[in-house]
Amino acid sequence: MSKIRSVFIFLIFVLAGGAFAEYNRMDVPDSASIREAIASSWFYPSLKTLRGKKAEVHSNSIGQKFQVKLEESGNTFSIIVAPEVSLSYSTISNGIVGGEKETVSEFVADACGSWILTRDSITGKAKSIRYYFAKDGDIFVQFSPDTYAGKKTLADYVIGGCYAARCVPVGVSMESLYTASFNRVLKSTEKTLPWQYAEIHPGQYDNKRSMIAKIRKVASKITEAKDGAYNESGDPVFASTGTPRAVEDPDMNYISVDSNGFVKWVVDGLVYPINESGTLIQPLLRKTVTSNPLGHAENLKDIDNLNFSLDWTRNLAAARLSSQTKKKYLYEESGVDVSISPFCAEMTSNGIENITSYLPNSGYNAKFLPQTLYVLAVTEPTYFYLAAIRVRHPTGTVNGNKTEYYSFEDSAVIFPYFDERGRFSCSVFENGTEYTLGSFLSKHADCYVHLTRVLSSDRFILQ
């Protein structure tokens, strides 16, 4: 082989290797080559020295720009290597928002591809390194030194302030992460961190988005009717008994339901195209929770049906599964309950606290519902969820004594998905009203929410 040919092949190898260092299967912008070039001047000097440095902009081997800058906070300081992103803003014209959109480029510290080294202000020692890899800025992996085991490194996988993995030992040093590519991080932790929560499935959310659009079109027809539902023939009945109820004007083109009747109406939109009828009422009233004859719930049985919407949503989900598979499933056999517990702890103002994310027959604390729905949107992209809402009642009477109690009264339909830009979104419908996930959780801040899964479909017809 000639020397010229050898040199030519070597150059191809070097150039391809540099480009490959910026590549990873999740298409995360990577600053590894930049960090390698600036490590000595940015990652090791004292805080006093770094205070004299101005922010710098560098490009990686494929032309992506990153800004390097210093930020101080309390007893720590951070070196932030942030990618350039394009942000769109709606202009304000004559006091009206939403005119022309203006696009600007900014370097965002929690954008996908951002890398942050945090050090102690006094000792200068590294406290943590974060890699941001998702479109949502509250999702990242973080590495920190194991203070009890010398040079070992521990990894956390964080979603919305909750730990999907915490203090997992990894076989890399903190210092090596100063210049490690995201691809190397993936390979080093592929068997120890839950990267399956990052594998978004484009195209598998189309049915859910279509269902959302169809519900929105007819939502204005929904009117509130206490205990209102429709039976399998579309006749108005009381949800709690299945007996006929009168409506004010049967010829009017509206749907009179309560929140439980609404979720049945949505599920019937999936069942009608298969069965040419809706779901039966009586099977939805079947009990799914057995209470202790001597227990607290049994003493409260005369106050109300404490598990009404829990039974209702569980049996509805089982009815949809039966229709879908053409095999009759009782709730106990259906596997419709969502019972995953993907988180072990959360970040709080008082430090890290352990949590139990799922409670049998109660569901999820509303506080942890966004993180759970994010995981479900990734791992179950074709499903939406019926939510039974457990309400706390501050006072009730048991054997003449006042006590608090809980009951499942209302329900909702929840559609978690990722939009075309890969950002997590969620539409919630409660009795015809659409809520953002944030507004829904504000309304039910002190509640537990139990979820049952229902397969979405393009065969969805609202009667």
Side-chain angles (χ1 to χ4, degrees), residues 239 260 263 281 284-285 308-316:
N260 298 302
V263 298
I281 291 286
L284 305 184
L285 306 177
F308 183 83
S309 65
L310 177 63
D311 297 335
W312 185 267
T313 53
R314 280 173 160 174
N315 290 321
L316 257 177

Side-chain angles (χ1 to χ4, degrees), residues 102-180:
E102 183 177 314
T103 302
V104 297
S105 294
E106 294 184 8
F107 297 97
V108 181
D110 60 357
C112 179
S114 187
W115 180 97
I116 300 177
L117 165 65
T118 299
R119 296 168 59 192
D120 186 279
S121 297
I122 298 174
T123 66
K125 291 183 178 179
K127 294 182 70 68
S128 68
I129 292 173
R130 285 187 182 182
Y131 285 79
Y132 287 88
F133 58 88
K135 300 294 184 183
D136 297 275
D138 56 359
I139 300 166
F140 54 85
V141 289
Q142 179 170 277
F143 299 88
S144 55
D146 186 345
T147 55
Y148 299 102
K151 296 183 178 180
K152 289 188 178 180
T153 304
L154 303 176
D156 304 320
Y157 191 114
V158 181
I159 299 175
C162 289
Y163 290 82
R166 179 169 175 255
C167 295
V168 176
V170 292
V172 294
S173 67
M174 284 290 290
E175 192 167 344
S176 70
L177 292 171
Y178 287 6
T179 57

Side-chain angles (χ1 to χ4, degrees), residues 199-318:
E199 300 290 345
I200 298 172
H201 308 277
Q204 294 196 40
Y205 305 99
D206 293 348
N207 287 345
K208 284 196 279 191
R209 288 200 288 260
S210 174
M211 290 181 67
I212 292 169
K214 289 178 180 179
I215 294 172
R216 284 173 178 164
K217 282 185 179 180
V218 296
S220 60
K221 297 180 181 180
I222 305 296
T223 183
E224 175 74 26
K226 185 177 181 180
D227 198 25
Y230 289 86
N231 65 14
E232 71 281 4
S233 301
D235 300 320
V237 296
F238 291 105
S240 59
T241 61
T243 56
R245 65 182 172 92
V247 295
E248 291 185 6
D249 190 344
D251 295 325
M252 289 291 289
N253 187 24
Y254 63 82
I255 307 295
S256 62
V257 290
D258 67 359
S259 67
N260 298 302
F262 174 78
V263 298
K264 180 185 186 298
W265 179 70
V266 171
V267 172
D268 282 348
L270 295 169
V271 172
Y272 267 112
I274 300 173
N275 296 352
E276 296 185 352
S277 66
T279 52
L280 298 167
I281 291 286
Q282 289 304 320
L284 305 184
L285 306 177
R286 182 175 177 269
K287 303 292 184 183
T288 63
V289 180
T290 302
S291 60
N292 182 346
L294 301 178
H296 183 61
E298 186 66 19
N299 290 327
L300 287 168
K301 66 181 181 180
D302 293 331
I303 293 180
D304 203 349
N305 182 347
L306 298 179
N307 297 304
F308 183 83
S309 65
L310 177 63
D311 297 335
W312 185 267
T313 53
R314 280 173 160 174
N315 290 321
L316 257 177

Side-chain angles (χ1 to χ4, degrees), residues 29 57 64-69 80-89 102-112 114 423:
V57 175
Q64 294 171 321
K65 291 182 179 180
F66 289 78
Q67 182 191 64
V68 185
K69 68 175 182 177
I80 300 172
V81 184
E84 183 181 41
V85 296
S86 295
L87 302 175
S88 295
Y89 297 94
E102 183 177 314
T103 302
V104 297
S105 294
E106 294 184 8
F107 297 97
V108 181
D110 60 357
C112 179
S114 187
R423 292 187 179 275

